[in-house]
Amino acid sequence: MNATTATGMGAGALQGLRVLDLSRILGGPLCGQILGDHGADVLKVEPPQGDDTRAWGPPFQDSVASYYRGLNRNKRTQCLDLSQPAGQARVLELMAQADVVVENFKIGTMEKWGIGWEQVQARFPGLIWCRVSGFGADGPLGAWPGYDAAIQAMSGIMSVNGEQGGEPLRVGLPVVDMVTGMNAVIGVLLALQERQRSGLGQLVDAALYDSGISLLHPHGANWFMDGKPPQRTGNAHPNIYPYDTLQTGSIPVFFAVGNDRQFGLLCGHIGCAQLAEDPRFATAGQRSVHRAVLKPLLEQQLAAFEGEQLATDLMAIGVPAAPVQSVDAALQHPHTLHRGMVVDLPGYRGIGAPVKLSRTPATYRLAPLTPGEDFVV
């Protein structure tokens, strides 16, 4: 089994870790959910009106949006007004018990309330504080609020996403927010490892802007080497070809041909072995240079094939290829289910944990909105 579904607190790689999740929206809550999936005891504190994403729908279930439900399982939730003395006192009590705090308030907000990292560090020296922010606390853009699409725009991601000659496009999912949440988890785990040596906590600084910049491979590497501003190439890879979506006789198929051997196998299978011998296409570099000529020649041959079967046959001979599937098809695919990537709990379905551990797998114990006021003793 890659993961388990259970009631109660269960086991996991992070069993015994206490996480106080004060975050809202996406990056911070995703961090908390990942830690919870792997056994941490996560208490989520929301403002009296709840996390904003409860209203980010439709669709809704019991007046709570799917957006919220997709990021807040394996937590127990309560509402506190941290702007008021009673809420501040209670959250300090929880911090005293926690190993990790995750928060993504606008820089300066928690400090204004007297419960920020700098103010509690000496009081709780072993506490690991994970701050998810837009741009970090300092620098030319320090303390600015951050939003996924805005960071996609500023970091250069949108400039390389879209069709050649078309307008810049936002990636169709909140990739910056999600990668920031994952980076936050990495930071927390690094800090926990270091705490075993020093006994001290530290600040984990996970900024959306940094995460956006970190995603620029290979465009950043290309620019560092040749100084040419990267351009949009649609589904095609900027460095290698055919690494692109091509039309078949039925559906589009994505081909990820990364070397000359794979290209030869592809050409042989679809009946155009001569293309692999053509000097314009015989090497990876030449195929990339002459991609505008190569693409229609390949699609002419591919028109005789049914796309899904072709992709299966090519994978069987070592040529990476995949049909372009819809979200619903992907979530119902037999391999998705085999890999445990769909979670079923009473009243809840969600996407499973992608990290599989052989002895201490992820567990799914608590549906979103499970109430809780204290850490489990």
Side-chain angles (χ1 to χ4, degrees), residues 154-235:
M154 291 190 69
S155 66
I157 293 173
M158 284 176 61
S159 77
V160 295
N161 191 51
E163 292 298 329
Q164 185 175 12
E167 294 296 317
L169 287 178
R170 178 183 69 86
V171 178
L173 49 83
V175 60
V176 172
D177 274 336
M178 295 181 74
V179 168
T180 305
M182 295 173 188
N183 285 340
V185 172
I186 294 170
V188 166
L189 298 180
L190 292 171
L192 286 168
Q193 174 68 19
E194 194 281 333
R195 191 176 71 172
Q196 293 184 12
R197 296 195 301 269
S198 69
L200 298 174
Q202 59 184 301
L203 175 66
V204 175
D205 181 2
L208 273 69
Y209 186 80
D210 299 352
S211 292
I213 294 293
S214 77
L215 289 170
L216 291 180
H217 188 79
H219 304 285
N222 292 346
W223 180 79
F224 285 131
M225 182 170 289
D226 66 18
K228 297 178 181 178
Q231 303 298 311
R232 290 180 289 284
T233 57
N235 287 328

Side-chain angles (χ1 to χ4, degrees), residues 355-377:
V355 176
K356 318 296 188 189
L357 298 179
S358 61
R359 289 190 300 100
T360 55
T363 58
Y364 310 115
R365 309 172 305 280
L366 303 171
L369 296 172
T370 300
E373 295 185 354
D374 296 285
F375 290 109
V376 175
V377 177

Side-chain angles (χ1 to χ4, degrees), residues 75-243:
K75 306 176 185 181
R76 289 171 301 115
T77 303
Q78 62 185 295
C79 292
L80 293 173
D81 187 348
L82 300 188
S83 69
Q84 298 301 311
Q88 295 159 12
R90 178 55 183 153
V91 86
L92 285 170
E93 292 175 356
L94 294 173
M95 286 180 186
Q97 303 169 45
D99 297 290
V100 179
V101 167
V102 181
E103 59 93 3
N104 61 353
F105 285 95
K106 183 179 178 182
I107 300 293
T109 299
M110 295 192 74
E111 289 73 17
K112 179 181 66 176
W113 295 335
I115 52 174
W117 161 247
E118 292 79 6
Q119 293 151 315
V120 306
Q121 180 182 9
R123 184 171 176 180
F124 309 126
L127 183 64
I128 293 167
W129 189 288
C130 180
R131 174 187 292 158
V132 177
S133 67
F135 296 88
D138 50 21
L141 306 180
W144 278 22
Y147 301 91
D148 177 272
I151 304 296
Q152 288 195 38
M154 291 190 69
S155 66
I157 293 173
M158 284 176 61
S159 77
V160 295
N161 191 51
E163 292 298 329
Q164 185 175 12
E167 294 296 317
L169 287 178
R170 178 183 69 86
V171 178
L173 49 83
V175 60
V176 172
D177 274 336
M178 295 181 74
V179 168
T180 305
M182 295 173 188
N183 285 340
V185 172
I186 294 170
V188 166
L189 298 180
L190 292 171
L192 286 168
Q193 174 68 19
E194 194 281 333
R195 191 176 71 172
Q196 293 184 12
R197 296 195 301 269
S198 69
L200 298 174
Q202 59 184 301
L203 175 66
V204 175
D205 181 2
L208 273 69
Y209 186 80
D210 299 352
S211 292
I213 294 293
S214 77
L215 289 170
L216 291 180
H217 188 79
H219 304 285
N222 292 346
W223 180 79
F224 285 131
M225 182 170 289
D226 66 18
K228 297 178 181 178
Q231 303 298 311
R232 290 180 289 284
T233 57
N235 287 328
H237 195 286
N239 294 56
I240 54 179
Y241 204 85
Y243 203 101

